[in-house]
Amino acid sequence: MEMSPMIESFVFHFGEMGSRWGFNRTVGQMYALMVVSDKPLNANQMAQALNISRGNVSMGIKELHSWQLIQQHHIPGDRKDYFSPKGDIWDMANTVFEERRKREVDPTLSLLRDILLDAPADDSEAYAQDKMREIHDLLETGTQWVGELQRMNPDNLSTLMKLGAGVAKVMDFKEQLLSSTEGKSDKRDR
Amino acid sequence: MEMSPMIESFVFHFGEMGSRWGFNRTVGQMYALMVVSDKPLNANQMAQALNISRGNVSMGIKELHSWQLIQQHHIPGDRKDYFSPKGDIWDMANTVFEERRKREVDPTLSLLRDILLDAPADDSEAYAQDKMREIHDLLETGTQWVGELQRMNPDNLSTLMKLGAGVAKVMDFKEQLLSSTEGKSDKRDR
DNA sequence: TTTAACTTTCAGAAAATTCTGAAACTTCAA
DNA sequence: TTGAAGTTTCAGAATTTTCTGAAAGTTAAA
């Protein structure tokens, strides 16, 4: 099994980029290859196409499994395991965000929360805590928001995306109708 | 200049996480240190606090400059350069997103666009192109949207965030009032 | 059971990244 | 100009990450 130049350029590029997204080059290549393959692939095919060792492929599969990005198939009469991406591209994006949040943001939030429980020993610690609180609040608001977007049904999300900055207009609109039921707008302090 | 345990744990953690955000451990530590310092720091102070070489600090400063994350100060009567984070935490988040987009998403979009110009040679290339088109469209919509959010004024953005999933309700609300002026909703195909 | 087909593991090799520190460079006050 | 105070550069050392391939492990048909 060998890749056409078109597929090759995609796979290699994805390998480089993939490393930025939390997995290494070969794992990125493996995933890219599965995405553009119209049928599930077995480990040997991947090793051959990407010119990497069989052992490396095995590690990569394990990693992609832990990211919940792939799916295993059993083809009757064939003892090899076949793999394909799980879900569609949208699901992939969701999964990657989700996993990254678990690995990167959650531990940071937890550390910040712990630190913020301690009373500051002096002015410089008080200053530091203020900054940490800002970061904490930003991360918390951000993750909550992303979580809500992810839980939103795809239709509404799509509308929202297409709406883009127009969302501001809708909100103004709402505010006009419902104005003066709430306190004055709370500005972000800068 | 030495760090209190509180600041140290923040700085070290940020160093580990920072490496996920596109810069290496020491660069992350340097930035974290500047964020929690109530006054600008010079290169020697950073080298001492973080216990790294002076040369390494110089590289780090260069890197943070290229990310537009820091600001240089000249203190009269002192020939050293002093550094502090540029803007507030919110600006930092914006800058990091922006820079990452430039470095990661833009090149991918450009590659995908190029590939999609070529006619597929066979069925399997046609399948691959379909998938690439999906990825292309997702990235494009996503970046456009993020761009618009970034261009939105902070007040509205804050309202939008606080609104969270409630945004769906506002949209429904709008739709009820303005319904039947546009075509039927376009679902995401899955 | 046996055994052939296949998968996983992991120690060490290879590669990539990061870091150090000495030397080169820059700047400015005297 | 000179030289002291500072900064940057970069070759090679140190460290970290990734990859290989042989050996151990698993599975299922016969």
Side-chain angles (χ1 to χ4, degrees), chain B residues 6-57:
Chain B
M6 184 182 106
I7 289 181
E8 196 178 77
S9 65
F10 173 75
V11 166
F12 286 175
H13 178 90
F14 211 90
E16 300 311 322
M17 285 308 151
S19 70
R20 309 241 163 202
W21 283 91
F23 29 76
N24 68 34
R25 188 154 36 83
T26 41
V27 173
Q29 291 177 353
M30 286 171 55
Y31 187 68
L33 186 62
M34 289 187 256
V35 167
V36 297
S37 292
D38 51 0
K39 36 188 175 313
L41 301 175
N42 66 41
N44 289 325
Q45 292 173 316
M46 294 190 239
Q48 200 197 340
L50 301 174
N51 195 26
I52 59 180
S53 76
R54 185 59 189 68
N56 201 356
V57 171

Side-chain angles (χ1 to χ4, degrees), chain A residues 136-149:
Chain A
H136 173 272
D137 292 351
L138 179 65
L139 287 178
E140 194 156 74
T141 311
T143 48
Q144 263 176 15
W145 201 52
V146 170
E148 281 170 5
L149 288 184

Side-chain angles (χ1 to χ4, degrees), chain A residues 23-26 51-56 59 79:
Chain A
F23 29 76
N24 68 34
R25 189 153 36 84
T26 41
N51 195 26
I52 58 180
S53 75
R54 185 60 188 69
N56 200 356
M59 305 285 248
R79 288 184 54 186

Side-chain angles (χ1 to χ4, degrees), chain A residues 90 158 161-162, chain B residues 136-147:
Chain A
W90 189 270
S158 165
M161 288 259 180
K162 298 239 173 61
Chain B
H136 173 272
D137 292 351
L138 179 66
L139 287 179
E140 196 157 72
T141 311
T143 49
Q144 264 178 13
W145 202 53
V146 170

Side-chain angles (χ1 to χ4, degrees), chain B residues 174-186:
Chain B
K174 179 207 170 202
E175 218 160 88
Q176 280 164 32
L177 293 178
L178 307 182
S179 64
S180 70
T181 53
E182 296 171 47
K184 217 39 214 127
S185 82
D186 48 325

Side-chain angles (χ1 to χ4, degrees), chain A residues 163-183:
Chain A
L163 209 51
V167 103
K169 291 186 199 103
V170 177
M171 288 191 312
D172 287 347
F173 183 62
K174 179 207 171 203
E175 220 161 83
Q176 279 164 32
L177 294 178
L178 307 182
S179 64
S180 72
T181 51
E182 296 171 47

